[in-house]
Amino acid sequence: MNLEIFEKMDAPELRKYIRFLLWHYRVVDAFWYLYITEQFDQATADQLNERVWGKVAAMAAKDLVERFDINEKGLKGFVEALKHFPWCILVGYQIQEKQDEVLISVPSCPTQEARTRRGLDEYDCKEMHRSEFSTFAKEIDDRIQVECLFAPPDSHPEDMHCQWKFSMKPEV
């Protein structure tokens, strides 16, 4: 990897480039999914998407822990790592930390909003996100439990696309 170009960038240019990379991260994900659906079918795209995001999330969590020296386990370590995860930044997860649980709420999902703008149905993202969140959480602490409160295809409030709860498995 040749990172020379970044040596000459000042902080505003670096932030501009980070915004570009994050936007492309989302665009690649969107077109990859749409073209798999076109070439094969929705079920195949869903299965592949679930596998890809399960793998990518685990890899990201492991890498974030190492690169950002995240030593905390449990829900605190999970939240710290998650805040660095590109999809968290792109979507703007609302993270509510309570004593024994963490709630992630997504009032505005760019993927779902883009689909509805194009006249498409909502993407049934629940199982893909379950895989993504579960593998990410497991890399931080395998005692973290993931519970979907609601996500498409579930019905949901108009002002909230999905909501997830994370808690610790009771010690035996």
Side-chain angles (χ1 to χ4, degrees):
M1 192 178 325
N2 181 350
L3 303 176
E4 260 179 51
I5 191 169
F6 300 115
E7 299 298 324
K8 298 173 186 160
M9 288 186 185
D10 60 13
E13 287 176 305
L14 285 169
R15 280 191 290 278
K16 189 175 182 179
Y17 197 79
I18 290 168
R19 281 191 291 277
F20 163 79
L21 287 176
L22 288 170
W23 181 78
H24 268 274
Y25 186 88
R26 191 177 75 147
V27 168
V28 167
D29 176 59
F31 281 109
W32 177 90
Y33 182 84
L34 290 171
Y35 290 154
I36 292 290
T37 302
E38 275 180 22
Q39 178 130 6
F40 299 99
D41 56 53
Q42 186 83 34
T44 301
D46 288 346
Q47 289 169 353
L48 292 173
N49 209 32
E50 189 176 325
R51 286 179 61 198
V52 166
W53 280 104
K55 182 68 173 176
V56 167
M59 291 172 67
K62 186 176 181 177
D63 200 26
L64 289 167
V65 164
E66 291 172 12
R67 288 177 190 260
F68 294 96
D69 199 28
I70 299 170
N71 298 310
E72 187 87 36
K73 294 289 184 190
L75 297 174
K76 288 213 179 293
F78 169 72
V79 168
E80 186 179 348
L82 188 67
K83 286 180 178 179
H84 289 83
F85 188 48
W87 209 247
C88 178
I89 296 165
L90 280 165
V91 174
Y93 292 158
Q94 291 181 353
I95 301 171
Q96 182 181 6
E97 294 180 79
K98 298 181 178 183
Q99 179 149 347
D100 297 326
E101 67 185 30
V102 170
L103 289 177
I104 293 178
S105 302
V106 179
S108 175
C109 177
T111 301
Q112 300 295 13
E113 290 173 356
R115 290 181 64 84
T116 38
R117 272 195 314 274
R118 288 170 178 75
L120 299 170
D121 291 334
E122 280 189 335
Y123 165 55
D124 294 351
C125 60
K126 184 178 190 172
E127 295 311 315
M128 181 273 296
H129 283 303
R130 185 186 315 278
S131 178
E132 173 191 19
F133 286 139
S134 295
T135 61
F136 190 97
K138 186 176 181 181
E139 280 296 323
I140 305 303
D141 191 323
D142 62 7
R143 300 171 299 157
I144 298 173
Q145 300 179 112
V146 179
E147 179 186 349
C148 179
L149 301 179
F150 58 85
D154 302 338
S155 61
H156 57 84
E158 200 169 302
D159 63 346
M160 188 71 60
H161 282 100
C162 68
Q163 197 167 61
W164 296 80
K165 182 170 91 173
F166 302 83
S167 59
M168 298 300 290
K169 290 178 187 167
E171 292 190 33
V172 185

